[in-house]
Amino acid sequence: MERKVVGIIGLGLLGGSVAKALKRFTEYEVIGYARRGEVCSAALACGAVSEAYGDAKLVAQKSDILVLALPPDTNADIFEQLAPHLKPHTLVTDVASTKGRMVKRIYQYLPNHSTFVSIHPMAGSERGGFEMASDSLFTDATWIVLEDKGNPAYSEDDAKLLVQMGEAVGSMVERVSLHEHDHLVATISHVPHVTATLIASLAGESNKPELAYKLAAGGFRDVTRIAGGNPSMWKEILRGNATEIDQLLLELTQRIQNVRELLTSDDDGQELEKYLQKAHDYRNEYLQVKESERRLL
Amino acid sequence: MERKVVGIIGLGLLGGSVAKALKRFTEYEVIGYARRGEVCSAALACGAVSEAYGDAKLVAQKSDILVLALPPDTNADIFEQLAPHLKPHTLVTDVASTKGRMVKRIYQYLPNHSTFVSIHPMAGSERGGFEMASDSLFTDATWIVLEDKGNPAYSEDDAKLLVQMGEAVGSMVERVSLHEHDHLVATISHVPHVTATLIASLAGESNKPELAYKLAAGGFRDVTRIAGGNPSMWKEILRGNATEIDQLLLELTQRIQNVRELLTSDDDGQELEKYLQKAHDYRNEYLQVKESERRLL
């Protein structure tokens, strides 16, 4: 059965970029839902979608592939309403950055005739909204297709279709188990986000915030950049993955305690330098992985 | 008394950039010391200095202004050797990013005929060395001149001279008391550096570091960038400001504990969102301060 119509629920930065990228790089017909009329108009005007609706049910009824592109909890909430209106054999997917709590709810609402395979395009920006959406947001980004092989709602054929979609829009595709995913994204996305907000707060709640900002150089700028992200969206992301994040934040406080000991140890800083050298090497290994990804393209 | 010769002790990224910037933007004669002969050759070849020596004493003997541009402890060590060789009325300064421990030692060695006023140009890069030095490193950067008004070695006239020097090389000059300085730089530079190394280590010491690096997007890249800095240099910086950093790291663990509570609180995430909103606003205030600095130029 060939799937022709992709319906995108939510035309923000990610949903809008999926629409634009599919329009540019594939033969799919793309339709979309946005709550605000001006977003529908903008998406229609630039050709990102061929049809746009302010009622998500109308999109669900026409879609062969349904992409949930709202924040995780909102995806689950809206899918509860849409599930009874799906066409038979719909492939449901989502582009949220945390899965645990949301996926449990989606499985619960999913009709037996349809399948669900989750994806996570690792791309974004601290500035959201359709006006920031781009058909090249996924170029060179990692596009994760999540496996959940034991689950009856999971389909290996549909996972392959989503792998092809990721490749078509210029991403590097990785396949990861749903189980591993949330711990990994907590490590490389959610906990870094928390530390960015902590560093911004330390400066903002210091005795002289304005002077602190003036003295701040590139290090502060980069470490805090993602603290500028949308608070309401990040609230959902972080709470949707609270178990994994909590565990890593506990580990982080233990690691901070270790650094505090190294700062004042009477070994003339030898162990502190070893610690800094290791962090330096991890950062270089990360750069090498990214560099070899670029060479593969 | 007019001062004509600036001697720079250490021609790494900062010292080399001071040399190049003074050469380009001022009338000073610039001479320099570097341990490695090839750095002396490179600095001479590009005209950054008119004389270069592998013996720092030869630079100290000829300088009207002596700029210590090595890591903090190394500055203090070498100054102990150079102090007896200073010309009368030398203005001694340094460009290190931590002051506390180093400044105490410099005061101790400084001859009565000379003065010491510390500066801190807030510029740098995770990649060091003379080959990265640039005459525009200080353009648009903040250049702090540190006041220590009670101290007999401090000179207000010399502080003004260093203010003029900062303005000449294109920096925005701020005057801060020595006392406030180390707490502020711990907040906006040293603790952010520690968190960058912590996040790099969390990923590098996870079960699947290579997969973590592959999944990492722009947030991880930016939060960890400064973890790529020189471990031996950062060891000295962090230990030179250990008291302030330790206090802030303790505060950080308390703030992490607070975030952990917000993650799982039963208020539907309202307090977490407020926290994220505040961090978002601090980040925007920081951007506004930087933006208004740019407009002033």
Side-chain angles (χ1 to χ4, degrees), chain B residues 1-4 28 63-65 87-91 113-115 155 157-158 161:
Chain B
M1 180 210 50
E2 201 189 347
R3 291 190 170 107
K4 292 184 180 168
Y28 287 113
S63 299
D64 302 310
I65 301 175
K87 288 167 68 171
H89 313 296
T90 299
L91 162 56
H113 59 66
S114 289
T115 54
S155 151
D157 284 347
D158 290 345
L161 183 155

Side-chain angles (χ1 to χ4, degrees), chain A residues 10-293:
Chain A
L11 294 171
L13 173 68
L14 271 179
S17 296
V18 170
K20 288 183 171 184
L22 291 180
K23 207 73 198 172
R24 175 168 167 198
F25 293 112
T26 74
E27 300 295 314
Y28 287 113
E29 188 188 338
V30 184
I31 65 176
Y33 154 79
R35 193 169 51 82
R36 289 164 54 218
E38 60 263 44
V39 174
C40 289
S41 307
L44 284 167
C46 71
V49 297
S50 54
E51 300 172 27
Y53 300 95
D55 179 350
K57 275 201 300 292
L58 299 177
V59 175
Q61 284 163 350
K62 295 181 175 210
S63 298
D64 301 310
I65 301 175
L66 191 71
V67 181
L68 304 171
L70 294 164
D73 289 343
T74 317
N75 278 339
D77 290 343
I78 204 165
F79 187 65
E80 184 173 10
Q81 309 301 318
L82 300 181
H85 303 279
L86 297 182
K87 290 167 67 171
H89 313 295
T90 300
L91 162 56
V92 180
T93 184
D94 76 282
V95 293
S97 67
T98 38
K99 305 301 185 183
R101 188 166 70 173
M102 175 194 71
V103 168
K104 279 196 194 83
R105 290 181 62 198
I106 290 175
Y107 280 149
Q108 188 185 328
Y109 310 135
L110 190 77
N112 286 331
H113 59 66
S114 290
T115 55
F116 176 73
V117 179
S118 192
I119 62 174
H120 181 189
M122 299 288 298
S125 159
E126 74 271 35
R127 299 181 58 196
F130 182 79
E131 61 276 21
M132 300 299 294
S134 156
D135 61 13
S136 61
L137 186 71
F138 308 110
T139 310
D140 298 1
T142 299
W143 173 287
I144 313 173
V145 176
L146 293 161
E147 298 174 352
D148 195 10
K149 286 183 176 167
N151 198 294
Y154 176 79
S155 152
E156 180 58 26
D157 285 346
D158 290 345
K160 284 182 183 144
L161 184 154
L162 293 171
V163 166
Q164 286 161 6
M165 190 185 279
E167 289 167 349
V169 300
S171 292
M172 293 160 296
V173 178
E174 288 284 336
R175 301 185 62 154
V176 179
S177 80
L178 196 53
H179 181 258
E180 281 177 322
H181 172 267
D182 280 1
H183 185 78
L184 280 165
V185 291
T187 306
I188 49 86
S189 171
H190 304 159
V191 171
H193 191 89
V194 171
T195 58
T197 65
L198 289 165
I199 295 300
S201 301
L202 269 186
E205 292 165 12
S206 66
N207 286 336
K208 300 200 172 175
E210 185 149 355
L211 187 54
Y213 298 146
K214 279 186 183 169
L215 302 192
F220 183 84
R221 179 194 63 219
D222 291 348
V223 167
T224 58
R225 182 180 62 82
I226 51 181
N230 181 295
S232 139
M233 184 187 80
W234 275 97
K235 174 200 69 176
E236 282 203 23
I237 293 173
L238 298 178
R239 282 176 67 96
N241 200 22
T243 312
E244 296 295 338
I245 297 168
D246 186 64
Q247 183 191 323
L248 279 165
L249 287 179
L250 175 61
E251 184 179 338
L252 193 63
T253 58
Q254 291 155 350
R255 287 174 177 268
I256 289 173
Q257 187 54 37
N258 179 47
V259 171
R260 292 179 66 202
E261 283 158 20
L262 298 181
L263 271 176
T264 50
S265 65
D266 54 8
D267 66 346
D268 205 30
Q270 285 182 50
E271 290 299 318
L272 179 63
E273 185 168 345
K274 273 190 210 165
Y275 163 80
L276 295 170
Q277 183 67 51
K278 277 197 283 185
H280 169 276
D281 295 346
Y282 298 139
R283 167 72 182 168
N284 276 359
E285 286 161 21
Y286 155 76
L287 289 178
Q288 281 160 17
V289 166
K290 291 300 175 197
E291 186 54 41
S292 65
E293 281 174 352

Side-chain angles (χ1 to χ4, degrees), chain B residues 197-211:
Chain B
T197 64
L198 289 165
I199 296 299
S201 301
L202 269 185
E205 292 165 12
S206 67
N207 287 335
K208 300 200 171 176
E210 186 149 354
L211 188 54

Side-chain angles (χ1 to χ4, degrees), chain B residues 68-144:
Chain B
L68 304 171
L70 295 164
D73 290 342
T74 317
N75 278 339
D77 291 342
I78 204 165
F79 187 65
E80 184 173 10
Q81 309 301 318
L82 300 181
H85 304 278
L86 298 183
K87 288 167 68 171
H89 313 296
T90 299
L91 162 56
V92 180
T93 185
D94 77 281
V95 293
S97 67
T98 38
K99 305 302 186 182
R101 188 167 70 172
M102 175 195 69
V103 168
K104 279 197 195 82
R105 291 182 59 197
I106 290 175
Y107 280 150
Q108 190 185 328
Y109 310 135
L110 190 76
N112 286 332
H113 59 66
S114 289
T115 54
F116 176 73
V117 179
S118 192
I119 62 174
H120 181 190
M122 300 288 298
S125 159
E126 74 272 33
R127 299 181 57 196
F130 182 78
E131 61 275 21
M132 300 300 293
S134 156
D135 61 13
S136 61
L137 186 71
F138 308 111
T139 310
D140 298 1
T142 299
W143 173 288
I144 313 173

